[in-house]
Amino acid sequence: MTPDLRQKTELSRTACPVNSHNEWDPLEEVIVGRLEGATIASDHIAVTAAIPGKSARWLAKITAGWKYPSFLLSEALHELEGFVELLGTLGVTVRRPEPADFSIRFKTPHWTSKGLANACPRDSLLVIGDEIIEAPMAWRCRYFETHSFRPLLKEYFHRGARWSAAPKPELRDELYDPDYRPPADSGPVRYVINEFEPVFDAADFVRCGTDLFVTRSNVTNRSGIEWLRRHLGEPYRIHEIESLARHPMHIDTTILPLAPGRLLVNPEYVDVKRLPAMLKSWDILIAPEPDPVKGNIQRFVSMSSRWLSVNVLSIDQKRVIVEKNQPSMIRLLERHGFEPIPCSFASYAPFGGSFHCATLDIRRRGERQCYF
Ligand code: ABU
């Protein structure tokens, strides 16, 4: 054994640096995304299908592949710095991916694309216990997104974490419905992807110990869910939550478990009466209407819905980081005995999300449990 490999093997004998089983145990280490090098998403049909606002969809087509303008970038960077600083003062170790230039065009045998960003690690990486799984993402512009996280993934691997990747999808034209049109305000939801091959975004799953919840979406198909189900095996169970969102993408503006027995629910995306029976005994916190953010032009170019108010990050079972401009959400959490920690983050919306999206739990203090 070489000295280098011996040193790495020694490291893996110490406690695993990756350990996170749910969304609420005390947070010790987290990856926070970056904005440098971010490039506006491509105008591929899978991208426009997932953008909620008509005007944002229209704008996205024109600006696809551009670098983000500095007025959007500088404010978001400023808020991101504040968020990172806050996590530090709360005693959380913050790790960051490498800066990368996502405007570089790449190609596969079937298509070419520019990249997007590494602003939202929650989308591309799923942590289940001591395992980090790279997701088989459906957006072509996200094909190599995990690469800027690889230095961290390799470090965690050498220190004892398990590291795997779902089968790399081909993302050929056959995966997408060329006749896809945004669905009407009511009636059945239509998805832009089919079952050509397994795809999912990690952010379509939330974790409650041995039970995971998932929403099918414009980036997660049934085969992707089934792949993860078989990959995790016993004792894990994956339960589907029916989403009423018109442009479904990512569960973390739909439901978010805040503590054992306590679930935050977006009433526009979920019919509470149709939640899985196992959640019937849980306290359901119905998210209030999101408060409009005054003077926030970012909402016109947001890649996300107005329900980013639900996209909070739990520091532990009591303390929750919540967007400062969402007083109704802050009051709801207070009424239910939580300690909300307000932080400005509305400018992050054009980059894909809020606190939950912008982070990836690496270590939360606690063991795997069955809560149902
Ligand atoms: N990345 C989270 C976006 C979800 C939403 O638009 O509601």
Side-chain angles (χ1 to χ4, degrees), residues 52 123 249-250 252-253 269 303-305 307-308 311 352-353 357:
D123 300 356
M249 179 170 168
H250 301 166
D252 52 1
T253 53
Y269 289 180
M303 295 231 295
S304 310
S305 71
W307 288 99
L308 285 182
N311 201 249
C357 300

Side-chain angles (χ1 to χ4, degrees), residues 136-162:
M137 305 180 90
W139 285 14
R140 291 174 173 174
C141 58
R142 308 193 81 171
Y143 207 59
F144 292 112
E145 193 163 307
T146 55
H147 283 201
S148 65
F149 296 92
R150 287 275 172 97
L152 286 171
L153 302 186
K154 285 186 264 188
E155 180 203 308
Y156 290 134
F157 171 69
H158 289 308
R159 291 170 60 199
R162 289 183 298 140

Side-chain angles (χ1 to χ4, degrees), residues 75-129:
E75 206 170 322
L77 271 170
H78 177 69
E79 291 192 337
L80 182 59
E81 266 171 37
F83 174 45
V84 167
E85 212 175 288
L86 171 64
L87 287 165
T89 62
L90 295 169
V92 180
T93 301
V94 174
R95 308 297 305 274
R96 311 295 298 279
E98 298 282 293
D101 181 358
F102 290 93
S103 67
I104 296 172
R105 185 166 282 281
F106 54 84
K107 63 179 185 179
T108 76
H110 305 291
W111 46 266
T112 84
S113 178
K114 288 184 177 181
L116 174 69
N118 51 13
C120 294
R122 187 79 61 178
D123 300 356
S124 60
L125 297 164
L126 182 62
V127 171
I128 307 283

Side-chain angles (χ1 to χ4, degrees), residues 7-115:
Q7 192 190 6
K8 284 171 177 167
T9 312
E10 290 295 322
L11 280 173
S12 71
R13 289 206 194 104
T14 59
C16 186
V18 177
N19 179 66
S20 179
H21 298 280
N22 57 47
E23 310 289 332
W24 59 73
D25 274 344
L27 185 61
E28 294 183 341
E29 182 161 328
V30 73
I31 298 179
V32 175
R34 269 196 189 278
L35 295 173
E36 298 88 347
T39 297
I40 296 175
S42 84
D43 59 357
H44 185 255
I45 189 167
V47 175
T48 48
I51 297 179
K54 222 183 222 170
S55 54
R57 272 201 300 279
W58 175 80
L59 198 65
K61 278 189 196 288
I62 298 179
T63 58
W66 291 12
K67 289 260 174 140
Y68 278 82
S70 56
F71 76 96
L72 286 181
L73 195 57
S74 55
E75 206 170 322
L77 271 170
H78 177 69
E79 291 192 337
L80 182 59
E81 266 171 37
F83 174 45
V84 167
E85 212 175 288
L86 171 64
L87 287 165
T89 62
L90 295 169
V92 180
T93 301
V94 174
R95 308 297 305 274
R96 311 295 298 279
E98 298 282 293
D101 181 358
F102 290 93
S103 67
I104 296 172
R105 185 166 282 281
F106 54 84
K107 63 179 185 179
T108 76
H110 305 291
W111 46 266
T112 84
S113 178
K114 288 184 177 181

